[in-house]
Amino acid sequence: MSARLVLMGPPGSGKGTQSAGLAAALGVPAISTGAIFRDNLARKTELGIEAERYMSVGDLVPDELTDRLVEARLAEPDAAPGFILDGYPRNMEQVKALDTMLAKTGKSVDGAILLSIPDDQIVARLLHRAQIEGREDDTEPVIRERIGVYHSKTEPIVGEFERRGSLHRVDGMGSVEDVAVRLRAAADAAIA
Ligand code: ADP
């Protein structure tokens, strides 16, 4: 059985926190494009330096760069049984790119899970995270921009997965453990 899942949700919805545990439970890697960009930036790679121009203002990194990165990561052996994608795809073009790269090996996305929290919670959570982690893109103006980008570019892809009949909604409010239980149920339904 494969588990090729897309985990969606606004910034601060808990995708990063939850994807690792869910991936471990399903025996597949959690792949976060944001984390890969941040790791590249920390190592001052060319990719990281290029991505930073966009991340620092809350914009999306160009599709061409992001798609190439994801395709290379999905080709690694640990992703053969599946993956949890956290933060990708983030617009319609990336949905198409993901479909195309999976189709090359006769595969497709099994399901998408939408982790939702209200907008006022997003800002509160990210400002709180800024104090703990010191992530450079967690300042109020950049947070507002990321929320705007989420609504304008990423939310339309929720409708796309809904049309495909592969969208599962999970309430992201509550304790980490409570959300993990709901998420696991949604993942089981998505890959059933
Ligand atoms: P969050 O979801 O909390 O905003 P992420 O770690 O997922 O945080 O993303 C941080 C930044 O990395 C984004 O604002 C964007 O600049 C870049 N990024 C991450 N994933 C993508 C993607 N799929 N396409 C383009 N840019 C991305």
Side-chain angles (χ1 to χ4, degrees):
M1 193 178 59
S2 72
R4 295 188 191 87
L5 298 174
V6 168
L7 184 58
M8 302 183 49
S13 57
K15 300 186 301 292
T17 304
Q18 295 289 346
S19 61
L22 180 63
L26 299 176
V28 298
I31 299 173
S32 157
T33 41
I36 296 173
F37 287 137
R38 278 189 293 280
D39 171 62
N40 272 272
L41 179 58
R43 292 186 290 113
K44 300 258 182 298
T45 68
E46 211 174 302
L47 172 78
I49 292 163
E50 174 69 8
E52 211 247 338
R53 292 170 45 198
Y54 305 91
M55 294 171 74
S56 62
V57 289
D59 283 346
L60 295 185
V61 175
D63 292 337
E64 206 261 331
L65 205 65
T66 310
D67 295 340
R68 216 166 359 111
L69 170 97
V70 171
E71 183 154 27
R73 180 63 188 85
L74 294 186
E76 286 179 32
D78 65 331
F83 47 75
I84 313 280
L85 275 174
D86 157 11
Y88 182 93
R90 237 172 165 98
N91 59 25
M92 281 307 282
E93 290 73 22
Q94 293 182 3
V95 172
K96 285 183 204 136
L98 178 61
D99 286 341
T100 305
M101 64 182 90
L102 291 176
K104 286 179 189 169
T105 49
K107 297 173 188 149
S108 58
V109 174
D110 294 316
I113 301 174
L114 176 65
L115 198 55
S116 338
I117 57 166
D119 263 11
D120 59 343
Q121 276 292 317
I122 301 176
V123 181
R125 283 190 187 190
L126 294 185
L127 288 176
H128 177 70
R129 182 171 77 186
Q131 291 174 347
I132 298 168
E133 292 181 12
R135 241 177 76 171
E136 273 183 30
D137 59 349
D138 280 345
T139 60
E140 187 142 8
V142 180
I143 290 169
R144 300 247 174 244
E145 179 64 22
R146 281 155 60 209
I147 295 171
V149 168
Y150 177 77
H151 287 311
S152 63
K153 299 190 174 153
T154 308
E155 256 178 354
I157 79 175
V158 172
E160 172 61 19
F161 287 112
E162 197 152 43
R163 275 189 292 283
R164 296 181 185 188
S166 59
L167 184 74
H168 299 261
R169 293 175 190 272
V170 170
D171 178 1
M173 295 299 290
S175 70
V176 171
E177 294 75 21
D178 286 349
V179 175
V181 170
R182 283 179 224 141
L183 204 55
R184 180 62 202 270
D188 286 344
I191 60 186

